[in-house]
Amino acid sequence: MVFISYRYPGSTIKHVYTDIIASRLGFDRNTVAKVFDEHIVFRGLNPYSFSIGELMARVSEIISEAGGADVLALHATELHYLVENPDRYVSFLSNYLNHLRSKGVSTIILGSNVSDNYYNLNAILADIIISYRKGYGGEQAKCYTLIWRKGGDTQ
């Protein structure tokens, strides 16, 4: 798996996810770090340094350097969406993700919900959708995580 953040350096995102998984799921931090080291390549890219086409080319280079990937996670994609023409963004990203699918790579897009249009576009483009919803159980506010695969049922 390749995990690319457009907001943080790879080492930072790896550290954050290691801590989250270790603390919330009760795993040993060193074990989580070891699994990440063996199975996930974390990288950071500055989306303002590249056009959308150059950015996708750089992502391809990272996947190649990692020896390939079966899953690509893109974190903080809203940053590029906010500065790029939305039609151009969708066109490039859609073509790129279809190219990855043809090579057997599934995609996860993680981004802030900056607009309904942005959310809907990413839900259409990504293979795996993770959505956080607020709800109330009695008097307490709760956060629900919905995870589904394109064309599948919400879990």
Side-chain angles (χ1 to χ4, degrees), residues 98-135:
N98 283 327
H99 166 73
L100 290 175
R101 279 185 203 102
S102 74
K103 295 183 173 280
V105 179
S106 295
T107 56
I108 302 170
I109 297 176
L110 300 104
S112 297
N113 191 354
V114 295
S115 73
D116 287 343
N117 187 45
Y118 170 77
Y119 175 82
N120 292 336
L121 290 172
N122 281 310
I124 290 167
L125 293 174
D127 293 311
I128 300 165
I129 298 103
I130 302 171
S131 179
Y132 299 100
R133 303 281 188 215
K134 292 179 191 171

mmCIF file of all heavy atoms in Angstrom, residues 98-135:
data_model
loop_
_atom_site.group_PDB
_atom_site.id
_atom_site.type_symbol
_atom_site.label_atom_id
_atom_site.label_comp_id
_atom_site.label_asym_id
_atom_site.label_seq_id
_atom_site.Cartn_x
_atom_site.Cartn_y
_atom_site.Cartn_z
ATOM 1 N N ASN A 98 -8.733 5.629 -13.079
ATOM 2 C CA ASN A 98 -9.112 4.558 -14.001
ATOM 3 C C ASN A 98 -7.877 3.818 -14.503
ATOM 4 O O ASN A 98 -7.893 2.592 -14.648
ATOM 5 C CB ASN A 98 -9.944 5.097 -15.164
ATOM 6 C CG ASN A 98 -11.368 5.366 -14.755
ATOM 7 O OD1 ASN A 98 -11.928 4.675 -13.906
ATOM 8 N ND2 ASN A 98 -11.967 6.375 -15.356
ATOM 9 N N HIS A 99 -6.812 4.549 -14.764
ATOM 10 C CA HIS A 99 -5.537 3.932 -15.164
ATOM 11 C C HIS A 99 -5.042 2.993 -14.050
ATOM 12 O O HIS A 99 -4.620 1.864 -14.324
ATOM 13 C CB HIS A 99 -4.507 5.022 -15.463
ATOM 14 C CG HIS A 99 -3.109 4.525 -15.565
ATOM 15 N ND1 HIS A 99 -2.650 3.784 -16.638
ATOM 16 C CD2 HIS A 99 -2.059 4.645 -14.717
ATOM 17 C CE1 HIS A 99 -1.382 3.476 -16.439
ATOM 18 N NE2 HIS A 99 -1.003 3.985 -15.285
ATOM 19 N N LEU A 100 -5.100 3.462 -12.801
ATOM 20 C CA LEU A 100 -4.670 2.622 -11.678
ATOM 21 C C LEU A 100 -5.548 1.380 -11.543
ATOM 22 O O LEU A 100 -5.047 0.288 -11.308
ATOM 23 C CB LEU A 100 -4.681 3.420 -10.368
ATOM 24 C CG LEU A 100 -3.625 4.502 -10.226
ATOM 25 C CD1 LEU A 100 -3.835 5.275 -8.932
ATOM 26 C CD2 LEU A 100 -2.224 3.923 -10.280
ATOM 27 N N ARG A 101 -6.860 1.545 -11.716
ATOM 28 C CA ARG A 101 -7.776 0.394 -11.638
ATOM 29 C C ARG A 101 -7.416 -0.657 -12.684
ATOM 30 O O ARG A 101 -7.499 -1.847 -12.412
ATOM 31 C CB ARG A 101 -9.219 0.847 -11.839
ATOM 32 C CG ARG A 101 -9.827 1.417 -10.610
ATOM 33 C CD ARG A 101 -11.304 1.756 -10.792
ATOM 34 N NE ARG A 101 -11.648 2.748 -9.802
ATOM 35 C CZ ARG A 101 -11.776 4.043 -10.031
ATOM 36 N NH1 ARG A 101 -11.653 4.523 -11.248
ATOM 37 N NH2 ARG A 101 -12.056 4.870 -9.052
ATOM 38 N N SER A 102 -7.040 -0.191 -13.866
ATOM 39 C CA SER A 102 -6.672 -1.145 -14.924
ATOM 40 C C SER A 102 -5.433 -1.946 -14.547
ATOM 41 O O SER A 102 -5.190 -3.018 -15.083
ATOM 42 C CB SER A 102 -6.454 -0.418 -16.255
ATOM 43 O OG SER A 102 -5.232 0.301 -16.257
ATOM 44 N N LYS A 103 -4.660 -1.431 -13.605
ATOM 45 C CA LYS A 103 -3.464 -2.130 -13.109
ATOM 46 C C LYS A 103 -3.743 -2.861 -11.792
ATOM 47 O O LYS A 103 -2.822 -3.345 -11.141
ATOM 48 C CB LYS A 103 -2.318 -1.137 -12.930
ATOM 49 C CG LYS A 103 -1.849 -0.530 -14.242
ATOM 50 C CD LYS A 103 -0.668 0.383 -13.984
ATOM 51 C CE LYS A 103 -0.087 0.867 -15.276
ATOM 52 N NZ LYS A 103 0.782 -0.086 -15.926
ATOM 53 N N GLY A 104 -5.016 -2.896 -11.358
ATOM 54 C CA GLY A 104 -5.388 -3.616 -10.151
ATOM 55 C C GLY A 104 -5.175 -2.853 -8.856
ATOM 56 O O GLY A 104 -5.132 -3.452 -7.784
ATOM 57 N N VAL A 105 -5.049 -1.530 -8.941
ATOM 58 C CA VAL A 105 -4.828 -0.710 -7.747
ATOM 59 C C VAL A 105 -6.153 -0.076 -7.318
ATOM 60 O O VAL A 105 -6.791 0.627 -8.103
ATOM 61 C CB VAL A 105 -3.785 0.400 -8.012
ATOM 62 C CG1 VAL A 105 -3.586 1.263 -6.769
ATOM 63 C CG2 VAL A 105 -2.468 -0.195 -8.482
ATOM 64 N N SER A 106 -6.579 -0.344 -6.084
ATOM 65 C CA SER A 106 -7.766 0.300 -5.517
ATOM 66 C C SER A 106 -7.355 1.623 -4.878
ATOM 67 O O SER A 106 -6.222 1.764 -4.411
ATOM 68 C CB SER A 106 -8.407 -0.584 -4.452
ATOM 69 O OG SER A 106 -8.904 -1.766 -5.031
ATOM 70 N N THR A 107 -8.274 2.574 -4.837
ATOM 71 C CA THR A 107 -7.939 3.888 -4.300
ATOM 72 C C THR A 107 -8.852 4.264 -3.138
ATOM 73 O O THR A 107 -10.036 3.947 -3.130
ATOM 74 C CB THR A 107 -8.048 4.985 -5.376
ATOM 75 O OG1 THR A 107 -9.358 4.958 -5.935
ATOM 76 C CG2 THR A 107 -7.018 4.777 -6.462
ATOM 77 N N ILE A 108 -8.233 4.929 -2.165
ATOM 78 C CA ILE A 108 -8.949 5.517 -1.036
ATOM 79 C C ILE A 108 -8.635 7.005 -1.068
ATOM 80 O O ILE A 108 -7.473 7.391 -1.150
ATOM 81 C CB ILE A 108 -8.471 4.938 0.311
ATOM 82 C CG1 ILE A 108 -8.641 3.419 0.339
ATOM 83 C CG2 ILE A 108 -9.205 5.603 1.471
ATOM 84 C CD1 ILE A 108 -7.979 2.764 1.536
ATOM 85 N N ILE A 109 -9.664 7.838 -1.040
ATOM 86 C CA ILE A 109 -9.464 9.287 -1.009
ATOM 87 C C ILE A 109 -9.921 9.780 0.356
ATOM 88 O O ILE A 109 -11.060 9.565 0.757
ATOM 89 C CB ILE A 109 -10.237 9.988 -2.138
ATOM 90 C CG1 ILE A 109 -9.716 9.523 -3.511
ATOM 91 C CG2 ILE A 109 -10.121 11.503 -2.000
ATOM 92 C CD1 ILE A 109 -10.473 10.090 -4.689
ATOM 93 N N LEU A 110 -9.002 10.430 1.080
ATOM 94 C CA LEU A 110 -9.311 10.999 2.390
ATOM 95 C C LEU A 110 -9.210 12.512 2.273
ATOM 96 O O LEU A 110 -8.145 13.042 1.953
ATOM 97 C CB LEU A 110 -8.316 10.520 3.445
ATOM 98 C CG LEU A 110 -8.248 9.018 3.661
ATOM 99 C CD1 LEU A 110 -7.006 8.451 3.016
ATOM 100 C CD2 LEU A 110 -8.266 8.726 5.125
ATOM 101 N N GLY A 111 -10.304 13.209 2.478
ATOM 102 C CA GLY A 111 -10.268 14.656 2.372
ATOM 103 C C GLY A 111 -11.320 15.296 3.231
ATOM 104 O O GLY A 111 -12.320 14.674 3.586
ATOM 105 N N SER A 112 -11.099 16.532 3.567
ATOM 106 C CA SER A 112 -12.089 17.285 4.319
ATOM 107 C C SER A 112 -13.268 17.599 3.415
ATOM 108 O O SER A 112 -13.111 17.761 2.204
ATOM 109 C CB SER A 112 -11.482 18.598 4.826
ATOM 110 O OG SER A 112 -10.427 18.337 5.704
ATOM 111 N N ASN A 113 -14.422 17.702 4.012
ATOM 112 C CA ASN A 113 -15.635 17.988 3.253
ATOM 113 C C ASN A 113 -15.747 19.496 3.056
ATOM 114 O O ASN A 113 -16.417 20.186 3.813
ATOM 115 C CB ASN A 113 -16.852 17.430 3.986
ATOM 116 C CG ASN A 113 -18.094 17.464 3.131
ATOM 117 O OD1 ASN A 113 -18.097 17.994 2.024
ATOM 118 N ND2 ASN A 113 -19.163 16.922 3.654
ATOM 119 N N VAL A 114 -15.052 20.029 2.034
ATOM 120 C CA VAL A 114 -15.041 21.472 1.803
ATOM 121 C C VAL A 114 -16.295 21.952 1.081
ATOM 122 O O VAL A 114 -16.594 23.136 1.092
ATOM 123 C CB VAL A 114 -13.771 21.915 1.027
ATOM 124 C CG1 VAL A 114 -12.527 21.670 1.882
ATOM 125 C CG2 VAL A 114 -13.660 21.217 -0.308
ATOM 126 N N SER A 115 -17.003 21.039 0.434
ATOM 127 C CA SER A 115 -18.277 21.380 -0.216
ATOM 128 C C SER A 115 -18.990 20.083 -0.573
ATOM 129 O O SER A 115 -18.368 19.028 -0.686
ATOM 130 C CB SER A 115 -18.049 22.214 -1.478
ATOM 131 O OG SER A 115 -17.525 21.411 -2.525
ATOM 132 N N ASP A 116 -20.289 20.177 -0.755
ATOM 133 C CA ASP A 116 -21.048 18.991 -1.173
ATOM 134 C C ASP A 116 -20.567 18.495 -2.524
ATOM 135 O O ASP A 116 -20.476 17.292 -2.758
ATOM 136 C CB ASP A 116 -22.546 19.308 -1.243
ATOM 137 C CG ASP A 116 -23.174 19.454 0.133
ATOM 138 O OD1 ASP A 116 -22.549 19.001 1.123
ATOM 139 O OD2 ASP A 116 -24.280 20.016 0.219
ATOM 140 N N ASN A 117 -20.239 19.432 -3.426
ATOM 141 C CA ASN A 117 -19.765 19.051 -4.758
ATOM 142 C C ASN A 117 -18.457 18.263 -4.669
ATOM 143 O O ASN A 117 -18.304 17.219 -5.294
ATOM 144 C CB ASN A 117 -19.587 20.293 -5.630
ATOM 145 C CG ASN A 117 -19.255 19.954 -7.060
ATOM 146 O OD1 ASN A 117 -19.865 19.069 -7.650
ATOM 147 N ND2 ASN A 117 -18.303 20.667 -7.631
ATOM 148 N N TYR A 118 -17.517 18.747 -3.861
ATOM 149 C CA TYR A 118 -16.242 18.060 -3.684
ATOM 150 C C TYR A 118 -16.456 16.663 -3.100
ATOM 151 O O TYR A 118 -15.880 15.687 -3.562
ATOM 152 C CB TYR A 118 -15.324 18.881 -2.773
ATOM 153 C CG TYR A 118 -14.093 18.141 -2.337
ATOM 154 C CD1 TYR A 118 -13.016 17.983 -3.214
ATOM 155 C CD2 TYR A 118 -14.000 17.582 -1.071
ATOM 156 C CE1 TYR A 118 -11.889 17.279 -2.824
ATOM 157 C CE2 TYR A 118 -12.879 16.882 -0.679
ATOM 158 C CZ TYR A 118 -11.831 16.740 -1.557
ATOM 159 O OH TYR A 118 -10.731 16.034 -1.167
ATOM 160 N N TYR A 119 -17.289 16.555 -2.066
ATOM 161 C CA TYR A 119 -17.568 15.268 -1.443
ATOM 162 C C TYR A 119 -18.157 14.296 -2.462
ATOM 163 O O TYR A 119 -17.713 13.152 -2.579
ATOM 164 C CB TYR A 119 -18.527 15.431 -0.258
ATOM 165 C CG TYR A 119 -18.933 14.112 0.336
ATOM 166 C CD1 TYR A 119 -18.118 13.464 1.249
ATOM 167 C CD2 TYR A 119 -20.105 13.480 -0.065
ATOM 168 C CE1 TYR A 119 -18.469 12.239 1.777
ATOM 169 C CE2 TYR A 119 -20.463 12.248 0.459
ATOM 170 C CZ TYR A 119 -19.646 11.636 1.375
ATOM 171 O OH TYR A 119 -19.993 10.410 1.877
ATOM 172 N N ASN A 120 -19.150 14.742 -3.206
ATOM 173 C CA ASN A 120 -19.807 13.877 -4.193
ATOM 174 C C ASN A 120 -18.832 13.427 -5.279
ATOM 175 O O ASN A 120 -18.860 12.270 -5.709
ATOM 176 C CB ASN A 120 -21.009 14.582 -4.811
ATOM 177 C CG ASN A 120 -22.129 14.774 -3.809
ATOM 178 O OD1 ASN A 120 -22.227 14.050 -2.823
ATOM 179 N ND2 ASN A 120 -22.962 15.775 -4.038
ATOM 180 N N LEU A 121 -17.961 14.333 -5.733
ATOM 181 C CA LEU A 121 -16.974 13.973 -6.757
ATOM 182 C C LEU A 121 -16.038 12.881 -6.253
ATOM 183 O O LEU A 121 -15.767 11.906 -6.958
ATOM 184 C CB LEU A 121 -16.158 15.195 -7.170
ATOM 185 C CG LEU A 121 -16.880 16.254 -7.974
ATOM 186 C CD1 LEU A 121 -15.993 17.486 -8.133
ATOM 187 C CD2 LEU A 121 -17.296 15.706 -9.329
ATOM 188 N N ASN A 122 -15.543 13.039 -5.038
ATOM 189 C CA ASN A 122 -14.629 12.037 -4.500
ATOM 190 C C ASN A 122 -15.330 10.723 -4.213
ATOM 191 O O ASN A 122 -14.743 9.655 -4.372
ATOM 192 C CB ASN A 122 -13.916 12.567 -3.254
ATOM 193 C CG ASN A 122 -12.787 13.481 -3.632
ATOM 194 O OD1 ASN A 122 -11.963 13.148 -4.457
ATOM 195 N ND2 ASN A 122 -12.782 14.662 -3.062
ATOM 196 N N ALA A 123 -16.576 10.765 -3.797
ATOM 197 C CA ALA A 123 -17.336 9.537 -3.579
ATOM 198 C C ALA A 123 -17.530 8.788 -4.896
ATOM 199 O O ALA A 123 -17.539 7.560 -4.914
ATOM 200 C CB ALA A 123 -18.682 9.848 -2.928
ATOM 201 N N ILE A 124 -17.655 9.516 -5.985
ATOM 202 C CA ILE A 124 -17.785 8.894 -7.302
ATOM 203 C C ILE A 124 -16.446 8.325 -7.768
ATOM 204 O O ILE A 124 -16.383 7.239 -8.335
ATOM 205 C CB ILE A 124 -18.317 9.915 -8.336
ATOM 206 C CG1 ILE A 124 -19.786 10.245 -8.035
ATOM 207 C CG2 ILE A 124 -18.163 9.407 -9.756
ATOM 208 C CD1 ILE A 124 -20.305 11.450 -8.790
ATOM 209 N N LEU A 125 -15.355 9.044 -7.506
ATOM 210 C CA LEU A 125 -14.044 8.664 -8.033
ATOM 211 C C LEU A 125 -13.368 7.531 -7.253
ATOM 212 O O LEU A 125 -12.713 6.679 -7.842
ATOM 213 C CB LEU A 125 -13.113 9.881 -8.052
ATOM 214 C CG LEU A 125 -13.491 11.001 -9.015
ATOM 215 C CD1 LEU A 125 -12.565 12.193 -8.803
ATOM 216 C CD2 LEU A 125 -13.436 10.528 -10.453
ATOM 217 N N ALA A 126 -13.502 7.528 -5.941
ATOM 218 C CA ALA A 126 -12.761 6.576 -5.113
ATOM 219 C C ALA A 126 -13.382 5.184 -5.164
ATOM 220 O O ALA A 126 -14.573 5.028 -5.402
ATOM 221 C CB ALA A 126 -12.712 7.063 -3.670
ATOM 222 N N ASP A 127 -12.563 4.169 -4.938
ATOM 223 C CA ASP A 127 -13.041 2.785 -4.846
ATOM 224 C C ASP A 127 -13.582 2.493 -3.455
ATOM 225 O O ASP A 127 -14.491 1.692 -3.288
ATOM 226 C CB ASP A 127 -11.900 1.806 -5.139
ATOM 227 C CG ASP A 127 -11.443 1.894 -6.578
ATOM 228 O OD1 ASP A 127 -12.305 1.868 -7.469
ATOM 229 O OD2 ASP A 127 -10.230 1.998 -6.807
ATOM 230 N N ILE A 128 -12.975 3.117 -2.453
ATOM 231 C CA ILE A 128 -13.365 2.893 -1.068
ATOM 232 C C ILE A 128 -13.702 4.250 -0.459
ATOM 233 O O ILE A 128 -12.916 5.190 -0.581
ATOM 234 C CB ILE A 128 -12.232 2.211 -0.274
ATOM 235 C CG1 ILE A 128 -11.900 0.854 -0.918
ATOM 236 C CG2 ILE A 128 -12.615 2.049 1.198
ATOM 237 C CD1 ILE A 128 -10.596 0.256 -0.478
ATOM 238 N N ILE A 129 -14.855 4.355 0.154
ATOM 239 C CA ILE A 129 -15.306 5.616 0.720
ATOM 240 C C ILE A 129 -15.406 5.459 2.229
ATOM 241 O O ILE A 129 -15.992 4.492 2.727
ATOM 242 C CB ILE A 129 -16.672 6.047 0.131
ATOM 243 C CG1 ILE A 129 -16.560 6.271 -1.380
ATOM 244 C CG2 ILE A 129 -17.175 7.325 0.801
ATOM 245 C CD1 ILE A 129 -17.115 5.188 -2.204
ATOM 246 N N ILE A 130 -14.811 6.398 2.952
ATOM 247 C CA ILE A 130 -14.896 6.433 4.403
ATOM 248 C C ILE A 130 -15.502 7.783 4.762
ATOM 249 O O ILE A 130 -14.966 8.825 4.408
ATOM 250 C CB ILE A 130 -13.512 6.276 5.066
ATOM 251 C CG1 ILE A 130 -12.855 4.965 4.622
ATOM 252 C CG2 ILE A 130 -13.625 6.363 6.586
ATOM 253 C CD1 ILE A 130 -11.410 4.825 5.035
ATOM 254 N N SER A 131 -16.642 7.755 5.435
ATOM 255 C CA SER A 131 -17.353 8.984 5.764
ATOM 256 C C SER A 131 -17.625 9.022 7.258
ATOM 257 O O SER A 131 -17.993 8.010 7.851
ATOM 258 C CB SER A 131 -18.668 9.029 4.978
ATOM 259 O OG SER A 131 -19.397 10.185 5.296
ATOM 260 N N TYR A 132 -17.426 10.172 7.856
ATOM 261 C CA TYR A 132 -17.697 10.353 9.277
ATOM 262 C C TYR A 132 -18.967 11.178 9.431
ATOM 263 O O TYR A 132 -19.125 12.202 8.796
ATOM 264 C CB TYR A 132 -16.526 11.058 9.973
ATOM 265 C CG TYR A 132 -15.253 10.264 9.874
ATOM 266 C CD1 TYR A 132 -14.290 10.579 8.924
ATOM 267 C CD2 TYR A 132 -15.030 9.180 10.707
ATOM 268 C CE1 TYR A 132 -13.135 9.836 8.818
ATOM 269 C CE2 TYR A 132 -13.867 8.435 10.607
ATOM 270 C CZ TYR A 132 -12.934 8.770 9.661
ATOM 271 O OH TYR A 132 -11.794 8.031 9.554
ATOM 272 N N ARG A 133 -19.863 10.719 10.272
ATOM 273 C CA ARG A 133 -21.139 11.397 10.491
ATOM 274 C C ARG A 133 -21.344 11.618 11.986
ATOM 275 O O ARG A 133 -21.000 10.758 12.798
ATOM 276 C CB ARG A 133 -22.302 10.559 9.967
ATOM 277 C CG ARG A 133 -22.199 10.200 8.517
ATOM 278 C CD ARG A 133 -22.611 11.338 7.653
ATOM 279 N NE ARG A 133 -22.661 10.842 6.273
ATOM 280 C CZ ARG A 133 -22.333 11.555 5.251
ATOM 281 N NH1 ARG A 133 -21.959 12.787 5.404
ATOM 282 N NH2 ARG A 133 -22.394 11.062 4.048
ATOM 283 N N LYS A 134 -21.918 12.748 12.311
ATOM 284 C CA LYS A 134 -22.285 13.013 13.690
ATOM 285 C C LYS A 134 -23.706 12.532 13.909
ATOM 286 O O LYS A 134 -24.540 12.600 13.020
ATOM 287 C CB LYS A 134 -22.222 14.509 13.982
ATOM 288 C CG LYS A 134 -20.840 15.075 13.956
ATOM 289 C CD LYS A 134 -20.881 16.557 14.229
ATOM 290 C CE LYS A 134 -19.536 17.189 13.933
ATOM 291 N NZ LYS A 134 -19.591 18.634 13.971
ATOM 292 N N GLY A 135 -23.952 12.039 15.099
ATOM 293 C CA GLY A 135 -25.291 11.608 15.462
ATOM 294 C C GLY A 135 -25.458 11.738 16.959
ATOM 295 O O GLY A 135 -24.505 12.054 17.680
#
